[in-house]
Amino acid sequence: MAQNEMSRDQRDETRADFVVVGAGVAGLTAALRAAEAGLRVVILTKGPAWHPDRAEQATSTFYAQGGIAVVEPGDPTDSVDLHLADTLGAGAGLTDSRIARPILDDGWSAVSGLIGWGAEFDRGPGGDLLRTREGGHSVRRIIHAGGDATGAQVQRALERRLRAASRSLAITGHDDAVATAILRANGQTVGVAYRQRGRERVVHAPTVLLATGGSGHLYAATTNPSGATADGIALALRAGAVVADMEFIQFHPTMLFVEGARGRRTLISEAVRGEGGRLVDVDGDPVTAGVHPMGDLAPRDVVADAVETRIADSGHPCVYLDVRSIADFPTRFPTVTEGVADAGLDVTAGLIPVVPGAHYQCGGVLTDVDGRTAVPGLLAAGEVARTGLHGGNRLASNSLLEGLVMGRRAAAVAVGRRGRRAGEGAAAMPGMHPTMPRKELQDSMSRSVALRRDADGLDRVATALSRIPDRAAITDTDIEDAALTLTATVVVAAARARTESRGCHTRIDHPHTDPQARTRCFGWLDGELTECDGSETITRIHVPVP
Ligand code: SIN
């Protein structure tokens, strides 16, 4: 037996039709839909059992503030065509309209399904859904809940539904379960190995969905919860899947500024600007004047860059969101108000200090429009996936929408694969992986691979990453750190390869944008990160899985 293989009697083994790794909007939607269709579903989540009152929540879904961008059929002020045009405008030439169109088309049906499961969105006196505006949107199309607590409402509705479903359907959740490997046999996915409270376990299943969220903790400060450690990217790459557009890390223009603070920081929703908040510098001058016709509501990459520029030019460590024109701010934005108060500040003072913060991974595991990756039986949905909707810069509030739609589509794929026999793949124990200490990694990424990059900085990080020795994954944190290290390696490789500025990837040494937009794809081949041809790979994924 190879050194890092386990004998069967040392591990706990179970069987399922469908394993979902992650419990945010995409994962829970997929799990519930698949269970309702009769599949035996297992959900693996890293954190403790969900509870609405926990101070730190595990999913990025819970922390989403602004809302869900969605067009209701028959709305005279909006259309899917207009939503698509805004999505393409933000995506900087890399949004794939062949993928984006069907996702946006399915938006209303997916949101209606969620409402049917009990989600309550803010409504006006006549019962109509209230809508706000965010960066890059040409109209008010973003529905919201609890003012700025949309993600919390979505998470609650899904968790309630899960609790009810688990009484009558074959759906089981495992908490504190850290996925360590995707199991494969004869090129097919056959299950997942995971570690739960120090014990190695396996679920055999013909279909596995990665819905693990993003990678915000590549950076010292982020709007993401602590579990956003790029786990799905590492699992997918090690299983032979392909990742794409990884250099496009979206920095939200307005993360609460607290001198020297690390880890998850409070987001100040773009909807604050949609309701009249204005970005000003330390002297009270507007930050985006003359930058873009949409001003403070320009696409996120534009506003984040304007904020970064003003901070650099002024020598002051932050800019401010002037919210004095927003009537009864604490009622409309209770989540922001609480986050600001937790930092010892008071929103009623009218000026909230903000900086750009790592917020969203626009690229990810390359999938087709149904969530299939290049590995048969391995699916990806939500932030971990790169469907082609977000391109080089995600349009605000398109992420919950994508998670809902792609969760449903992934469930349909899993249902179609029902009955396939999951073979007995060898369970690789979490082995030895290059693992950079987290603080060192975050500091390097924040210094050289953030909003602005250049060859020297990227080369320095690439060299440091290439010298990192392998380390055994003894603790759950080691597994996360190895995932962050591998993901940083791909982000840096993609950023070095892209010698142009586009979307949320700005090369100060290559300020131009190439006339031709091209997605960059990477895979793990013979122990090496290797760039592969995107169009070929996409074509291969689009071929129906046998
Ligand atoms: C926000 O409320 O500004 C965040 C919404 C998003 O990231 O799409």
Side-chain angles (χ1 to χ4, degrees):
M1 188 170 63
Q3 199 189 357
N4 66 350
E5 275 182 21
M6 306 167 69
S7 69
R8 198 151 295 142
D9 55 5
Q10 281 174 285
R11 63 193 189 200
D12 294 306
E13 300 187 21
T14 50
R15 285 192 180 279
D17 298 314
F18 186 34
V19 183
V20 175
V21 188
V25 61
L28 291 188
T29 302
L32 283 163
R33 296 281 294 201
E36 286 180 353
L39 264 54
R40 292 167 303 158
V41 180
V42 166
I43 306 169
L44 303 179
T45 50
K46 270 204 306 191
W50 190 76
H51 192 282
D53 298 333
R54 235 178 251 295
E56 277 295 315
Q57 294 284 333
T59 65
S60 291
T61 296
F62 186 91
Y63 288 103
Q65 293 183 5
I68 304 180
V70 68
V71 179
E72 187 169 354
D75 181 345
T77 65
D78 202 2
S79 67
V80 172
D81 283 345
L82 197 53
H83 190 178
L84 178 62
D86 290 344
T87 301
L88 291 167
L94 289 177
T95 293
D96 183 344
S97 58
R98 295 165 307 168
I99 301 284
R101 172 102 221 178
I103 292 176
L104 300 181
D105 267 339
D106 276 3
W108 181 249
S109 153
V111 167
S112 303
L114 186 65
I115 293 172
W117 281 350
E120 290 177 13
F121 292 92
D122 296 334
R123 292 179 186 268
D128 288 351
L129 289 165
L130 294 177
R131 290 172 188 270
T132 190
R133 217 177 135 196
E134 291 182 15
H137 289 272
S138 49
V139 296
R140 293 176 76 95
R141 71 162 61 93
I142 294 148
I143 62 170
H144 46 86
D148 59 359
T150 312
Q153 174 62 213
V154 170
Q155 190 80 44
R156 274 196 199 97
L158 290 169
E159 297 281 357
R160 268 198 308 266
R161 184 78 187 178
L162 178 64
R163 205 153 300 163
S166 56
R167 287 197 282 271
S168 55
L169 303 176
I171 187 165
T172 315
H174 294 300
D175 308 309
D176 293 321
V178 182
T180 52
I182 303 301
L183 307 182
R184 295 178 64 194
N186 303 321
Q188 300 277 326
T189 300
V190 293
V192 185
Y194 66 102
R195 181 187 281 180
Q196 192 176 36
R197 298 178 201 106
R199 216 178 146 86
E200 308 297 337
R201 298 174 191 263
V202 167
V203 198
H204 297 285
T207 315
V208 174
L209 171 67
L210 294 172
T212 48
S215 55
H217 288 269
L218 285 171
Y219 297 90
T222 170
T223 62
N224 294 184
S226 60
T229 50
D231 311 344
I233 299 293
L235 289 167
L237 277 170
R238 292 187 197 122
V242 170
V243 296
D245 288 335
M246 289 298 293
E247 62 274 43
F248 297 104
I249 305 286
Q250 183 172 70
F251 280 68
H252 196 287
T254 56
M255 177 177 77
L256 182 66
F257 171 69
V258 177
E259 183 89 57
R262 302 181 73 95
R264 187 182 76 78
R265 312 301 320 149
T266 292
L267 172 73
I268 314 294
S269 176
E270 286 211 24
V272 170
R273 278 172 278 138
E275 298 300 331
R278 289 288 156 259
L279 280 165
V280 295
D281 66 13
V282 64
D283 298 319
D285 293 327
V287 168
T288 60
V291 169
H292 189 280
M294 294 173 98
D296 281 356
L297 287 174
R300 223 168 247 184
D301 55 339
V302 175
V303 180
D305 190 66
V307 170
E308 186 87 344
T309 303
R310 191 58 61 93
I311 288 172
D313 291 352
S314 67
H316 191 71
C318 63
V319 298
Y320 296 87
L321 251 179
D322 183 341
V323 299
R324 285 174 287 197
S325 67
I326 303 177
D328 201 3
F329 186 95
T331 306
R332 173 64 181 87
F333 295 105
T335 310
V336 170
T337 301
E338 193 184 323
V340 170
D342 287 349
L345 302 167
D346 179 5
V347 286
T348 59
L351 291 174
I352 305 175
V354 291
V355 288
H359 183 59
Y360 197 87
Q361 172 190 286
C362 297
V365 183
L366 187 67
T367 74
D368 71 3
V369 75
D370 292 309
R372 294 184 190 91
T373 72
V375 178
L378 181 63
L379 314 177
E383 187 170 351
V384 68
R386 183 274 184 196
T387 59
L389 176 69
H390 307 314
N393 174 55
R394 177 176 62 89
L395 182 68
S397 286
N398 264 357
S399 50
L400 289 178
L401 183 81
E402 188 192 43
L404 278 173
V405 170
M406 293 306 296
R408 283 157 54 113
R409 286 171 171 252
V413 173
V415 171
R417 294 176 57 83
R418 177 191 351 220
R420 278 163 201 264
R421 206 177 131 50
E424 302 283 317
M429 293 242 322
M432 304 281 288
H433 299 293
T435 308
M436 194 181 250
R438 193 172 301 192
K439 183 169 183 305
E440 186 184 340
L441 180 87
Q442 291 173 333
D443 287 346
S444 302
M445 292 294 286
S446 303
R447 204 166 33 244
S448 304
V449 200
L451 265 173
R452 293 177 182 177
R453 300 124 185 225
D454 65 16
D456 287 349
L458 292 170
D459 290 352
R460 263 197 307 279
V461 183
T463 304
L465 284 164
S466 70
R467 292 184 180 147
I468 291 298
D470 286 0
R471 210 173 74 196
I474 293 166
T475 65
D476 292 351
T477 304
D478 294 336
I479 296 170
E480 291 184 340
D481 286 348
L484 284 169
T485 302
L486 177 54
T487 304
T489 306
V490 194
V491 172
V492 171
R496 290 172 90 199
R498 189 172 289 283
T499 48
E500 62 160 345
S501 291
R502 180 182 295 280
C504 44
H505 163 84
T506 298
R507 288 282 303 253
I508 49 181
D509 50 349
H510 293 282
H512 64 282
T513 299
D514 285 345
Q516 197 175 351
R518 172 171 175 235
T519 281
R520 290 192 172 276
C521 300
F522 287 84
W524 193 254
L525 212 64
D526 301 328
E528 292 279 336
L529 195 62
T530 309
E531 183 158 9
C532 40
D533 184 291
S535 53
E536 260 180 32
T537 313
I538 290 165
T539 313
R540 190 151 53 88
I541 293 177
H542 277 294
V543 172
V545 176

